[in-house]
């Protein structure tokens, strides 16, 4: 199962559209899931949700699994419905020695952090306003994504946690994502190990594609900031970018 996993927190831009195209090309007409990641309800807007469907239809991408339209999405596909699965994974992680509760602010973390005995397990994980974080000291991710969170301070699952659980839940086997998500892929591999899932790299083939090239940027400027469908871009141009990415 391949996946297209947009976040409805803004109008889609050309890079998102080309990513959709890349995943559709990789899926080669096989199972393709549309998974809309709406954990961040604060930034969610109905028009952004609609935009996802509009862009997919404009690109003439046919997905085999997932919501057919915004109403179907809200009725049964929102990540809110998978909250029990995220909570179960968090309960499992809570028992792991490499996971710790941390009340540190962004500023405290930037200054070295963990002066509350976080790493020694001194913070009650059930306290209000504590994040649950991964001890990355022994991991290469420590340089780029130190102490990444699995549960946020508001008690909700982090993107990394939800994405890992969802990929397992839906049996995802391949995915094209931007090179900017390489660290996320590593973080999700680490979480897969902690959760006892099969090794992520054996299970999912991640193709990290480059971000928009200079030529893509030019096309992007032509279409303006509002949305990829609005003006000037042809469907073929979007697929041409995706082809370039996959051929690279
Ligand atoms: Zn801390």
């Amino acid at each position: 199962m391949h996946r297209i996993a947009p976040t409805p927190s803004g109008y889609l831009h050309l890079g998102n559209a080309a990513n959709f195209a890349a995943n559709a090309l990789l899926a080669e007409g096989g199972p393709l899931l549309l998974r809309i990641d709406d954990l961040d309800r604060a930034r969610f807007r109905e028009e952004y949700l609609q935009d996802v469907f509009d862009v997919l239809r404009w690109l003439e991408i046919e997905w085999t699994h997932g919501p057919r339209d915004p109403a179907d999405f809200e009725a049964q596909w929102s990540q809110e419905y998978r909250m029990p699965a995220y909570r179960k994974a968090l309960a499992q992680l809570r028992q792991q020695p490499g996971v710790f509760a941390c009340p540190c602010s962004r500023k405290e973390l930037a200054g070295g952090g963990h002066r509350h005995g976080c790493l020694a397990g001194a913070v009650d994980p059930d306290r209000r306003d504590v994040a649950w974080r991964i001890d990355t000291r022994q991991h290469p991710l420590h340089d780029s994504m130190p102490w990444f969170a699995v549960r946020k301070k508001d008690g909700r699952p982090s993107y990394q946690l939800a994405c890992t659980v969802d990929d397992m839940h839906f049996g995802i086997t391949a995915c094209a994502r931007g090179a900017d998500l390489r660290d996320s892929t590593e973080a999700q591999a680490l979480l897969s190990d902690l959760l006892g899932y099969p090794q992520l790299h054996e299970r999912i083939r991640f193709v990290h594609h480059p971000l928009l090239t200079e030529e893509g940027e030019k096309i992007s400027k032509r279409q303006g900031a509002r949305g990829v469908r609005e003006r000037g871009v042809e469907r073929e141009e979007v697929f041409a970018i995706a082809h370039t990415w996959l051929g690279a």
Side-chain angles (χ1 to χ4, degrees):
M1 175 89 82
H2 289 67
R3 67 162 162 87
I4 286 173
T7 303
S9 57
Y11 287 106
L12 297 173
H13 53 74
L14 182 63
N16 302 125
N19 172 269
F20 289 4
N23 275 295
L25 289 170
L26 279 181
E28 294 178 325
L32 177 62
L33 169 74
L34 170 61
R35 191 188 81 206
I36 298 172
D37 290 352
D38 68 331
L39 263 191
D40 185 359
R41 292 302 288 199
R43 292 169 67 204
F44 176 94
R45 276 167 50 182
E46 270 175 30
E47 49 269 49
Y48 300 153
L49 178 62
Q50 182 64 51
D51 188 51
V52 169
F53 291 95
D54 292 347
V55 168
L56 282 167
R57 299 230 156 88
W58 168 68
L59 289 171
E60 296 170 30
I61 289 174
E62 289 182 17
W63 61 104
T64 56
H65 296 71
R68 303 321 299 170
D69 53 44
D72 187 29
F73 172 74
E74 294 287 5
Q76 52 179 340
W77 291 94
S78 166
Q79 284 186 305
E80 296 299 319
Y81 294 112
R82 297 195 291 283
M83 210 48 85
Y86 306 145
R87 300 248 178 261
K88 191 176 156 212
L90 285 171
Q92 215 178 319
L93 288 176
R94 188 197 150 121
Q95 311 297 327
Q96 303 267 355
V99 183
F100 62 96
C102 168
C104 294
S105 64
R106 248 171 235 267
K107 203 174 158 194
E108 282 177 307
L109 286 175
H114 308 317
R115 302 218 171 105
H116 309 273
C118 320
L119 289 168
V123 180
D124 178 359
D126 294 323
R127 230 183 77 181
R128 274 171 62 89
D129 295 330
V130 298
W132 296 1
R133 298 184 174 282
I134 301 290
D135 184 349
T136 47
R137 281 177 292 183
Q138 304 299 322
H139 199 280
L141 270 178
H142 198 61
D143 292 332
S144 51
M145 205 187 275
W147 328 115
F148 73 87
V150 290
R151 197 191 79 155
K152 299 189 292 182
K153 281 189 175 180
D154 61 8
R156 287 168 63 78
S158 71
Y159 162 76
Q160 304 298 354
L161 189 278
C163 196
T164 306
V165 172
D166 281 350
D167 280 346
M168 185 68 191
H169 177 83
F170 290 111
I172 300 302
T173 53
C175 162
R177 59 181 4 186
D180 55 333
L181 289 177
R182 265 182 211 284
D183 287 339
S184 281
T185 301
E186 285 307 314
Q188 288 159 28
L190 200 161
L191 289 183
S192 289
D193 290 347
L194 288 176
L195 287 165
Y197 295 164
Q199 291 260 306
L200 186 79
H201 294 290
E202 289 168 16
R203 192 161 51 83
I204 308 182
R205 183 169 69 100
F206 281 103
V207 176
H208 293 96
H209 58 67
L211 301 177
L212 277 189
T213 60
E214 224 170 273
E215 182 56 30
E217 300 281 7
K218 269 185 239 158
I219 299 171
S220 198
K221 288 207 179 90
R222 174 146 53 90
Q223 47 106 10
R226 177 142 188 276
V228 70
R229 294 169 300 117
E230 294 285 301
R231 51 188 172 275
V233 187
E234 299 295 334
R235 174 184 178 275
E236 289 70 23
E237 286 177 299
V238 177
F239 273 87
I241 293 169
H243 269 295
T244 313
W245 282 351
L246 296 179

